[in-house]
Amino acid sequence: MFLLRFVKKIVANIIRIVYRYTYNLISIDDKVIIFISFHGRGYSDNPRAIYEQMRQDARFKDYKFIWFIKNHKQKNIEIPGAEVKEYFSLPYFYYMSKAKYWIINCKLPTYICKKPDQIYLQTWHGTPLKRLGHDIIASDNATFYRSAMSFESMCQSYDIDVARYNYMISPNKFCTEVFQTSFGINRERLIETGYPRNDFITNATADDVKSLKDKFHLPMDKKIILYAPTWRDNSFVAAGYTFDLKADFHKWKDILGDEYVIVFKPHYLIINKYENDHSLDGFLYSISANAEINELYVLSDILITDYSSVFFDYAVLNRPIYFYMYDIDEYKGELRGFYLDIYKELPGKIYEYEKQMLSDIKNNVYDYSYLKIFNERFNSEQTGNCAQKVIDIVFKDI
């Protein structure tokens, strides 16, 4: 196993070196567009929403669309109207050199080379609660990610990527300010359009809700609670980030009763799997970390989260949000720090103990005035046509 990993690492380094010396030899094709979501994890998020809107736009009828997805053959992923190719393969490096347009929602590796005539749209993937990049309040010996990258190296990796951006989507005025300090990007390259992925949330119908419940085999006659916690920067093993589940789902079932079911969706970076206790069958539904979370938003009636940015998007639905922050003292004291005053600016109440939270859910205790104030600040751009707004800006010259 060690030898295999060593060989793979050597081969990967050779490919990167060859790429760096040959990418300029490949001519740009103005009608090729590549899409990457979460480092090739799937067909999702803002790039997906933009792609699906492009498919309806006659201006792109002659264009070639390419998605890079890891292990796409094993996952049996096919995308109508697009070619699907393996992430970090030879075609990956070829088309990164060939495509006129890159539409990507995450930081690219530092070894990727961009030509002056290529257009890089960075869609990003959320309004941040936790501090990002240069804004992180870090101690002198702080390290980041499983690679134990120093604060300086982490910021440099962002700086290299940001220098390549032609456009970066901002979902709101708050992000327009935050992205300038966290990423060091100038205001001129930020396009304040709202997030394309939220068009689906804004425009979802009752029929959409029904079909999604069918898709995930969920009951039609019960209230659905989506539990979507985030990852912890300081909880990982060699293979990836781990999550120590602090939810006693037996207690949840006892308190909530037969009126509710729970949909548990871990963050996509989490590698450890939660094994369902069969005594919870019919109450707890554990969903893949790679599931399209927008679909889970739409089918649910209530969100429970912690420090994840999911609540910014979920608020668009004007449905109750509860914050279960059992480790809040550790989180705010030892990890990245927050942009918001979490006790005053979140669209819901913070709970350190699940019993009180579950009691409030059971008794419909929720102040909707939280949502009105919050959405006026963070979701005023979510008008249901954000993908088209982005396309009209980035492709204004075609």
Side-chain angles (χ1 to χ4, degrees), residues 262-266 273-276 283-289:
I262 307 298
V263 170
F264 171 47
K265 196 253 182 220
K273 304 290 189 250
Y274 176 77
E275 296 296 332
N276 274 5
F283 174 75
L284 177 63
Y285 296 80
S286 188
I287 305 295
S288 167

Side-chain angles (χ1 to χ4, degrees), residues 41-208:
R41 282 183 173 83
Y43 175 55
S44 64
D45 206 70
N46 288 315
R48 174 176 177 171
I50 293 169
Y51 169 70
E52 291 180 352
Q53 188 62 32
M54 282 182 170
R55 288 262 290 153
Q56 301 176 45
D57 192 323
R59 289 176 293 176
F60 300 99
K61 63 182 178 64
D62 296 327
Y63 278 66
K64 182 174 186 174
F65 303 113
I66 299 172
W67 275 84
F68 293 113
I69 298 178
K70 292 178 181 176
N71 304 316
H72 69 279
K73 291 182 179 177
Q74 294 93 315
K75 295 174 182 175
N76 198 29
I77 294 176
E78 294 183 1
I79 301 172
E83 295 182 20
V84 182
K85 298 187 181 297
E86 189 65 23
Y87 184 81
F88 199 82
S89 62
L90 290 177
Y92 167 78
F93 288 99
Y94 173 77
Y95 281 108
M96 290 300 294
S97 307
K98 186 77 173 173
K100 173 74 171 183
Y101 298 96
W102 303 351
I103 299 178
I104 299 168
N105 80 336
C106 51
K107 181 173 61 173
L108 277 175
T110 56
Y111 56 75
I112 291 296
C113 303
K114 176 178 172 288
K115 302 171 187 176
D117 291 338
Q118 290 179 305
I119 305 297
Y120 180 0
L121 167 64
Q122 173 56 253
T123 74
W124 205 238
H125 50 265
T127 297
L129 171 63
K130 296 170 287 188
R131 289 177 174 269
L132 292 171
H134 291 276
D135 288 346
I136 294 175
I137 302 168
S139 60
D140 292 339
N141 60 348
T143 59
F144 297 83
Y145 317 124
R146 290 176 294 127
S147 60
M149 185 181 287
S150 69
F151 176 72
E152 182 180 359
S153 297
M154 181 271 294
C155 289
Q156 185 180 38
S157 70
Y158 278 111
D159 293 343
I160 290 170
D161 202 37
V162 170
R164 299 180 286 212
Y165 301 170
N166 295 90
Y167 302 94
M168 183 179 192
I169 294 176
S170 167
N172 47 52
K173 287 182 171 58
F174 168 78
C175 281
T176 298
E177 297 302 318
V178 163
F179 288 169
Q180 289 178 75
T181 57
S182 60
F183 295 127
I185 188 170
N186 57 308
R187 175 64 183 86
E188 290 72 24
R189 288 184 288 160
L190 290 168
I191 55 175
E192 195 175 292
T193 58
Y195 274 146
R197 69 185 184 195
N198 288 343
D199 290 347
F200 176 73
I201 299 174
T202 305
N203 299 323
T205 66
D207 286 341
D208 291 327

Side-chain angles (χ1 to χ4, degrees), residues 11-21 88 93 111:
V11 171
N13 285 335
I14 291 172
I15 290 172
R16 290 170 189 156
I17 292 169
V18 172
Y19 160 70
R20 180 167 291 276
Y21 284 99
F88 199 82
F93 288 99
Y111 56 75

